[in-house]
Amino acid sequence: MRKKRLASLLAAAGLLASTVPLLAAAQASAADTDGTTTTATVQADSAYLRQKPSWHRCDAEQPASFECATIKVPLDYRRPAGRTLDLAISRVRSTNPAKRHGVLLMNPGGPGGSGLDLPVAFGEVVPPAVAEQYDLIGFDPRGVGASSPISCGLTDAEQGIDRPYHPGSFPSDVAWARTIAEKCRAKAGSVLPYITTRNTARDMDTIRAVLGERKLSYLGYSYGTYLGSVYTQMFPGRTDRFVLDSGVDPDLIWRNMFRNWATESEPAFARWTRWAAQRSGEYHLGESPAAVSKTFWDLVARADRDPIVFQGEKINGDDIRGARALFFYPAQVTPLMVALKDAAEGKPAVTPGASGPDFSMKRALAGQAGAPAEPASDNGVAVLWSVVCGDTDSWPRDPERYRRDAVRDKAAYPLYGDFASNIKPCAFWPRPLEAETPMKTPARVLTVQNEWDSQTPLASGQGLHRALKGSRMVLALGGEGHGVYLADPSSCASAPVTAYLTTGRLPARDITCRTPSPGADRQGAPAKPLPIPSGPGRF
């Protein structure tokens, strides 16, 4: 959802004098837990806590209830009186002030996803009981969108992260990774070290403070689950009702989260072969899972030898393997495979959904719908690399390590193993300023997961649940898609999440339920797509 953003709106006045000691003490306590600064320093340099957001209507084309403001946050929280960044925030107020519980801050994932529009987007689908209890709060995380956005000056070609391994092209892959790191240092080097999850969590606590709230409730998707889990560790006393939807495993950040896409694509691919075999009379890809698999790999080999020409585009085997995310959604990927098979055999492209003047097979295989729009800004990609490279020092620095891993993982996980393990810009990124956040403090939060999620697969969501001691998990068996709550009105997970948000009571135990399969008789109208970054290269 793209809207015009208001220009930066500086917070003009302090909070009421009676609230200043509360906010200063609150942030000081949080900083002590965080270990980044002293109580005395925070009390002396807490001007950013004394802001009062200057709320204005976000856009004349949006509802008047959708308000925006801009606050200031420290670039480096160790130096709170130093350089600042703009942080764009938004809200839709509680529909029933008498029942208001507090604020519900939201993050769509990414890293690099804009969350400024979430209050108005989610306002259309959020249950009335939730809308009554919360001011819905959105924000563009630091470096993103309207919050002092960063750029590395990357070309469209440089922004792609899917790079399959081939011995002959590996030197160019290394050069690409080095170039991204060098361009980012040259263009935004003074800011990059501070575009991290821990600093964004500190920004979340600043939002809480300037809104005058003692505690923060939160709804985070995908990468937003890791952001939320870090907040629970840095600010446990400020954590209220947290819903972490489509979980990132903290033990896998970040290289092994990419590699998780490879390992977990294999069971999804096997499920697809079973699905397609059961419908062999319709799709003609094979009458058994083994036959369907053979059809697929024969197609990949054929495209590697001689690219398949589909409506003027040349499709090679890497293009087809790179569609790994689509195999989590059998009804979507099967027509594409049929269309490619027909094209390889010289048949016309007549498969529904895989033809037409605006259709691009390359874009479809990459999980990109419709015709390409204007050239993409590199803001989202710049933030992605800043966060995944700056959060942890676990990235190997030797290109040879990536080469060995790519060779091994291509053999072990042939669909996507080499893509996932190939070299990334983090090999050449500056060392992080902080260590990653250990998950040691119990967190009574609710995690939510679809069984078939291409971006944060089930194993990752289960890892998040294990890492956060005291959490509960709602698992939607049969659920397909990235994002559960509010994204699918028929999800069996919806009721338990709403109950938690409106009562604050976690389920007594983990919940496993079954969501109707796509195409089955499902209740409720289809949900509008929510602004959750769900492309194959994002969390």
Side-chain angles (χ1 to χ4, degrees), residues 208-454:
R208 174 203 59 77
V210 301
L211 294 180
E213 300 292 328
R214 290 181 177 271
K215 290 191 174 186
L216 186 70
S217 293
Y218 177 76
L219 172 60
Y221 294 86
S222 194
Y223 163 72
T225 67
Y226 180 64
L227 173 60
S229 65
V230 168
Y231 184 93
T232 70
Q233 303 304 297
M234 294 176 66
F235 307 104
R238 304 297 162 192
T239 300
D240 195 4
R241 304 171 186 177
F242 268 49
V243 175
L244 307 180
D245 187 317
S246 307
V248 167
D249 185 348
D251 288 340
L252 300 183
I253 66 156
W254 279 107
R255 188 183 183 216
N256 285 333
M257 272 304 299
F258 287 102
R259 298 175 82 182
N260 189 243
W261 288 345
T263 59
E264 302 311 306
S265 292
E266 296 297 321
F269 180 82
R271 172 180 177 248
W272 169 69
T273 65
R274 296 191 296 270
W275 190 94
Q278 291 168 358
R279 295 158 180 81
S280 62
E282 180 179 357
Y283 295 112
H284 310 290
L285 293 176
E287 296 183 354
S288 68
V292 173
S293 180
K294 184 178 185 303
T295 297
F296 173 82
W297 288 110
D298 286 349
L299 193 63
V300 170
R302 155 70 168 82
D304 277 336
R305 291 191 308 270
D306 183 16
I308 298 168
V309 179
F310 189 93
Q311 294 186 184
E313 290 183 304
K314 290 185 176 181
I315 309 298
N316 62 33
D318 291 335
D319 294 327
I320 300 172
R321 290 192 303 121
R324 62 98 202 160
L326 298 184
F327 290 97
F328 285 77
Y329 316 109
Q332 296 180 31
V333 73
T334 306
L336 300 181
M337 296 301 110
V338 171
L340 284 172
K341 179 173 177 288
D342 288 347
E345 295 172 352
K347 299 177 183 178
V350 295
T351 304
S355 60
D358 292 332
F359 179 80
S360 163
M361 180 60 77
K362 277 187 178 288
R363 288 180 56 79
L365 293 172
Q368 301 167 354
E374 61 202 42
S377 161
D378 75 336
N379 176 235
V381 174
V383 173
L384 170 70
W385 292 128
S386 297
V387 171
V388 301
C389 300
D391 272 359
T392 174
D393 200 23
S394 62
W395 288 92
R397 299 288 166 165
D398 182 3
E400 178 61 18
R401 167 74 179 278
Y402 293 91
R403 189 196 67 78
R404 290 196 305 267
D405 289 348
V407 170
R408 183 187 65 241
D409 288 352
K410 186 172 185 176
Y413 313 109
L415 192 63
Y416 196 73
D418 55 318
F419 287 84
S421 295
N422 204 354
I423 195 164
K424 304 290 189 289
C426 303
F428 304 104
W429 212 261
R431 297 284 183 181
L433 296 180
E434 297 185 84
E436 60 192 68
T437 305
M439 300 291 147
K440 295 181 178 180
T441 303
R444 292 185 55 78
V445 304
L446 189 64
T447 69
V448 192
Q449 187 71 34
N450 270 333
E451 182 180 12
W452 298 104
D453 180 338
S454 62

Side-chain angles (χ1 to χ4, degrees), residues 51-129:
Q51 301 173 82
K52 183 176 180 181
S54 179
W55 294 104
H56 297 275
R57 185 171 182 172
C58 293
D59 191 310
E61 297 178 0
Q62 294 291 343
S65 60
F66 181 39
E67 299 178 301
C68 289
T70 299
I71 63 174
K72 296 287 188 180
V73 295
L75 171 68
D76 181 355
Y77 275 86
R78 297 170 302 179
R79 298 171 179 83
R83 181 178 173 184
T84 62
L85 299 175
D86 288 343
L87 198 72
I89 60 177
S90 62
R91 73 179 179 186
V92 171
R93 291 189 178 188
S94 156
T95 58
N96 188 344
K99 294 185 177 181
R100 184 183 181 277
H101 173 76
V103 298
L104 182 66
L105 186 67
M106 298 176 288
N107 179 272
S114 169
L116 204 60
D117 288 326
L118 291 185
V120 69
F122 280 17
E124 299 177 8
V125 294
V126 71

Side-chain angles (χ1 to χ4, degrees), residues 130-211:
V130 175
E132 286 184 337
Q133 290 199 24
Y134 296 97
D135 294 348
L136 304 180
I137 306 295
F139 74 114
D140 277 355
R142 58 172 51 208
V144 176
S147 293
S148 296
I150 63 170
S151 168
C152 296
L154 305 179
T155 66
D156 286 354
E158 289 169 337
Q159 292 184 49
I161 72 169
D162 273 346
R163 302 184 78 85
Y165 173 80
H166 296 285
S169 61
F170 185 67
S172 68
D173 296 337
V174 174
W176 164 80
R178 190 188 302 274
T179 296
I180 300 303
E182 290 175 349
K183 279 192 164 186
C184 288
R185 273 197 298 271
K187 188 84 170 178
S190 64
V191 177
L192 286 184
Y194 306 99
I195 306 297
T196 63
T197 298
R198 287 179 63 84
N199 279 322
T200 302
R202 294 179 179 109
D203 292 343
M204 288 169 55
D205 202 59
T206 297
I207 293 171
R208 174 203 59 77
V210 301
L211 294 180

